[in-house]
Amino acid sequence: MTNSVVQVEKTLNPKMKPAFDQLSFGTVFTDHMFTMEYTEEQGWHDPKIVPYEPILLDPAAMVFHYGQTVFEGLKAYVTEDEEVLLFRPEENMKRLNRSNDRLCIPAFDEELALSGLRKLIQVDKDWIPNIEGTSLYIRPFIFATQPYLGVAPSKTYRFMIILSPVGAYYKEGINPVKIAVESEFVRAVTGGTGSAKTAGNYAGAMKAQEVAEAKGYSQVLWLDGKEHRYIEEVGAMNVFFKLNGEVVTPELNGSILEGITRKSVIELLQHWDIPITERKISMEELYEAYQSGKLEEAFGTGTAAVISPIGELYWNDKKITINNGEIGELAQRVYDTMTGIQTGRTEDPFGWRMTVDIDTAVAPSHN
Amino acid sequence: MTNSVVQVEKTLNPKMKPAFDQLSFGTVFTDHMFTMEYTEEQGWHDPKIVPYEPILLDPAAMVFHYGQTVFEGLKAYVTEDEEVLLFRPEENMKRLNRSNDRLCIPAFDEELALSGLRKLIQVDKDWIPNIEGTSLYIRPFIFATQPYLGVAPSKTYRFMIILSPVGAYYKEGINPVKIAVESEFVRAVTGGTGSAKTAGNYAGAMKAQEVAEAKGYSQVLWLDGKEHRYIEEVGAMNVFFKLNGEVVTPELNGSILEGITRKSVIELLQHWDIPITERKISMEELYEAYQSGKLEEAFGTGTAAVISPIGELYWNDKKITINNGEIGELAQRVYDTMTGIQTGRTEDPFGWRMTVDIDTAVAPSHN
Ligand SMILES: Cc1ncc(COP(=O)(O)O)c(C=O)c1O
Ligand SMILES: Cc1ncc(COP(=O)(O)O)c(C=O)c1O
């Protein structure tokens, strides 16, 4: 599939761009968006870039009722040389199709979607902020559109990509966060939808988050849904612990989201010859490591914050302080290297970057 | 709160009504809908009845991304004397607010919503089908509308009620269905969202349903998410078993939806002095009862189908045939009584019915 199948209709009313040194996260959107439709007869069709505009949906559209929806999150960065970089975007498209499979949504052509994304970025290239810590957040998402009140997969869907210039995800930057270990609510369980990036997982997680925030914690650490023993994720991030020189992250078990940052950090640690193990790890084990002075570092990994060090865990009335509440050496090194590769400051021995050709003139085309 | 706070704007383009003897389920909608908005400053406000029309939403509206949404389902019936009856609608409004609580959606005034619903039915009263087995299906739902890409409760919401004249939910009518016991996928787990009526639960359930249908089963029987042992629900219905003269239904445990039909059937059985117990029941126990000839009947309960007898269960390569695949005496009696009360054919010793006053003239009003 070539770029040329994606039609472009440019806006006649470009918006004011926000000040790039005052960006928050996910509140401002660019001038255009990518859309594509699915019907049983035509499959995925009509990929195009159009002015950013409201969606018109029947009140019976199934997304409102039965929640068939999947999404992704990735970022584009502009380098000092004005190159535009994506970080492993093909991994996001693959994961989106894996999520589709779990949610009974028909698979799309990943090449085509990537080419649509590149074209969208070309069209809105002036929206990519160029200040340290900023980026263009990219949100591909798919939702059910058939107007039908019956629990069954929808017969029609829409695929969209919207773009948002963003500042740092946490106002505190890479400062360590305090995390409450969740022992009542459950994010996901084996056999459920935890390994898919679907709206319902996030809706279900808000209550625990609200309770934790009221107690002064910024996120929750999720335990497994069966025994409430094994560590799964932290907020909407995967989690890593450094225990006595060895790095451990919970193994993929069907209820954890397979993070692309997680995967990259594992590969980076292997590249550095730092021992990294994917395995089950229980809160008991973590607490024992803490007591015996072996819990050296803890950090979350995810597209939004990249690396988010954990300074304190609160579990069963016990406070676990990690690295004196300060950023660990490893977390800092991983953060610097990951953001260095993402923004083009550091070389990319892994071939993780994809350059978006922004010099290609994007002429408006019409159907 | 009185009816008069709900403004009414009538449609200028009434639609063609469908033939009431050829209705399917959830595909046709009436001329009007109820809407109400929530903002932090004003709370829930602007309740009104307007022509049925598409919803206009920002692509970043949180419902598409983080799935904060809840819904209800209930029915209105017209009696032979042209009275319009609702079945325990206050229970649906209560449950909707319980779902809201789990999903971090602000509570609404149940009285006001009920009064809005009654007014909506008055306006669209000619859409209530009057043929045996038909009814007006009522779908209240609430969803997050704030355009924001961050995992946190939305600051704005919309509450809507739409109406759909429906025929029988199952084409087979009250004929017994074949059910596959699900041993891989999980609908809900303690600490999750199973006891809330929220979109994500239904999206997550479709995969199992699809697999079961491919094998010739019409629904799945869900087991608990921790041990895959205890029976929870059947499809989107609660489930009852008659074992050696005693009726058993799984106890509410936080992952089962608290069905209003379930609650009513329990009260009905108690009224009839038929032993009914809410307790844990495992598949092993059920299978043993079957083998020793004690499994007399099984049926699902829910608003859509009211009572749906189970003729066969398929579990671990074993077929469990119930009552020779025929409708049981108890299921039939419960069905007749429930639908009798709902449609006004039978007296209502429980006070479950609410009459909608359809003689009140509904004059259009303007803000
Ligand atoms: C639940 C959850 N876990 C982990 C992650 C991290 O995944 P990634 O590194 O691909 O952003 C995300 C997404 O950001 C997530 O939503
Ligand atoms: C998951 C689930 N279980 C059970 C039921 C039955 O509830 P009710 O009897 O209130 O319709 C429903 C709703 O219809 C449901 O969605």
Side-chain angles (χ1 to χ4, degrees), chain A residues 71-74 92 95 137 187 194 196-197 201-202 222 233-239 256-263 301-304 306, chain B residues 151:
Chain A
F71 70 97
E72 273 302 326
L74 65 160
N92 293 91
R95 186 169 65 188
Y137 184 76
R187 192 192 85 92
K197 219 165 150 68
N201 293 340
Y202 299 82
W222 298 106
E233 309 197 35
V234 53
M237 294 183 287
N238 296 111
V239 67
I256 292 177
L257 190 85
E258 193 176 341
I260 294 157
T261 320
R262 174 188 183 279
K263 184 175 179 172
T301 68
T303 295
V306 189
Chain B
V151 184

Side-chain angles (χ1 to χ4, degrees), chain A residues 102-116:
Chain A
R102 180 63 183 85
L103 276 297
C104 303
I105 299 175
F108 61 90
D109 179 335
E110 296 167 17
E111 280 288 309
L112 172 65
L114 263 180
S115 116

Side-chain angles (χ1 to χ4, degrees), chain A residues 9-13 30-33 35 49-54:
Chain A
E9 181 200 331
K10 284 212 189 171
T11 183
L12 300 174
N13 301 300
T30 67
D31 279 329
H32 299 86
M33 62 189 196
T35 73
I49 286 156
V50 294
Y52 188 94
E53 64 183 8

Side-chain angles (χ1 to χ4, degrees), chain A residues 293-334:
Chain A
K294 289 178 183 156
L295 175 53
E296 297 159 353
E297 291 194 36
F299 56 88
T301 68
T303 295
V306 189
I307 300 296
S308 182
I310 300 171
E312 182 184 310
L313 285 171
Y314 187 75
W315 178 56
N316 284 350
D317 297 326
K318 294 189 273 276
K319 265 191 193 162
I320 304 176
T321 307
I322 303 168
N323 196 37
N324 295 317
E326 285 160 25
I327 303 171
E329 209 180 296
L330 182 67
Q332 186 73 57
R333 186 178 171 203
V334 171

Side-chain angles (χ1 to χ4, degrees), chain A residues 27-295:
Chain A
T27 53
V28 169
F29 301 90
T30 67
D31 279 329
H32 299 86
M33 62 189 196
F34 171 84
T35 73
M36 182 161 70
E37 303 293 329
Y38 179 90
T39 57
E40 286 191 316
E41 303 75 35
Q42 297 185 72
W44 284 109
H45 64 279
D46 200 14
K48 62 188 177 193
I49 286 156
V50 294
Y52 188 94
E53 64 183 8
I55 299 169
L56 204 61
L57 280 176
D58 194 287
M62 294 176 80
V63 61
F64 298 118
H65 306 275
Y66 309 119
Q68 259 183 305
T69 164
V70 294
F71 70 97
E72 273 302 326
L74 65 160
K75 285 174 170 178
Y77 299 87
V78 59
T79 69
E80 285 170 9
D81 308 333
E82 308 261 304
E83 256 201 312
V84 175
L85 301 177
L86 292 170
F87 185 75
R88 312 187 83 174
E90 66 289 351
E91 292 286 339
N92 293 91
M93 295 304 171
K94 265 192 228 166
R95 186 169 65 188
L96 193 53
N97 262 336
R98 286 203 303 275
S99 297
N100 275 340
D101 181 63
R102 180 63 183 85
L103 276 297
C104 303
I105 299 175
F108 61 90
D109 179 335
E110 296 167 17
E111 280 288 309
L112 172 65
L114 263 180
S115 116
L117 169 58
R118 283 199 302 264
K119 201 159 197 169
L120 177 61
I121 292 174
Q122 286 162 8
V123 172
D124 278 341
K125 62 178 186 293
D126 296 339
W127 285 85
I128 313 176
N130 53 2
I131 288 174
E132 165 87 42
T134 65
S135 59
L136 185 71
Y137 184 76
I138 300 163
R139 169 58 56 90
F141 61 111
I142 303 177
F143 55 93
T145 54
Q146 189 192 355
Y148 174 50
L149 298 186
V151 184
S154 175
K155 296 194 161 125
T156 59
Y157 299 88
R158 183 174 301 159
F159 183 133
M160 299 183 74
I161 307 177
I162 57 175
L163 306 175
S164 172
V166 299
Y169 189 75
Y170 294 112
K171 287 186 207 75
E172 315 91 49
I174 190 194
N175 283 330
V177 288
K178 292 185 179 187
I179 303 286
V181 181
E182 179 58 50
S183 44
E184 180 188 351
F185 295 109
V186 169
R187 192 192 85 92
V189 70
T190 319
T193 55
S195 64
K197 219 165 150 68
T198 181
N201 293 340
Y202 299 82
M206 289 180 190
K207 186 86 181 175
Q209 169 76 17
E210 210 172 62
V211 174
E213 277 175 18
K215 291 187 192 147
Y217 292 88
S218 72
Q219 300 272 331
V220 302
L221 186 78
W222 298 106
L223 303 183
D224 79 280
K226 290 193 176 185
E227 300 181 62
H228 282 269
R229 271 185 76 187
Y230 297 102
I231 294 168
E232 299 228 322
E233 309 197 35
V234 53
M237 294 183 287
N238 296 111
V239 67
F240 288 72
F241 301 98
K242 187 160 165 254
L243 302 171
N244 206 19
E246 185 204 11
V247 183
V248 176
T249 190
E251 66 190 5
L252 301 174
N253 58 1
S255 58
I256 292 177
L257 190 85
E258 193 176 341
I260 294 157
T261 320
R262 174 188 183 279
K263 184 175 179 172
S264 307
V265 168
I266 291 172
E267 288 169 38
L268 191 60
L269 294 173
Q270 285 166 342
H271 180 73
W272 287 341
D273 281 330
I274 293 175
I276 159 76
T277 318
E278 298 175 64
R279 64 169 171 86
K280 278 191 171 193
I281 174 166
S282 69
M283 266 315 291
E284 284 87 355
E285 179 186 344
L286 197 75
Y287 192 69
E288 272 171 31
Y290 162 68
Q291 283 188 308
S292 59
K294 289 178 183 156
L295 175 53

Side-chain angles (χ1 to χ4, degrees), chain A residues 25-26 29 52-53 55-60 64-67 69 71 101-102 139 141 148-149 186 191 199 203-204 207, chain B residues 25-26 29 52-60 64-67 69 71 101-102 139 141 148-149 186 191 199 203-204 207:
Chain A
F25 197 97
F29 301 90
Y52 188 94
E53 64 183 8
I55 299 169
L56 204 61
L57 280 176
D58 194 287
F64 298 118
H65 306 275
Y66 309 119
T69 164
F71 70 97
D101 181 63
R102 180 63 183 85
R139 169 58 56 90
F141 61 111
Y148 174 50
L149 298 186
V186 169
K207 186 86 181 175
Chain B
F25 197 98
F29 300 91
Y52 188 94
E53 64 183 7
I55 299 170
L56 205 61
L57 280 176
D58 194 288
F64 298 119
H65 306 275
Y66 308 119
T69 165
F71 70 97
D101 182 63
R102 180 64 183 83
R139 170 58 56 90
F141 62 111
Y148 173 51
L149 298 187
V186 169
K207 185 88 181 173

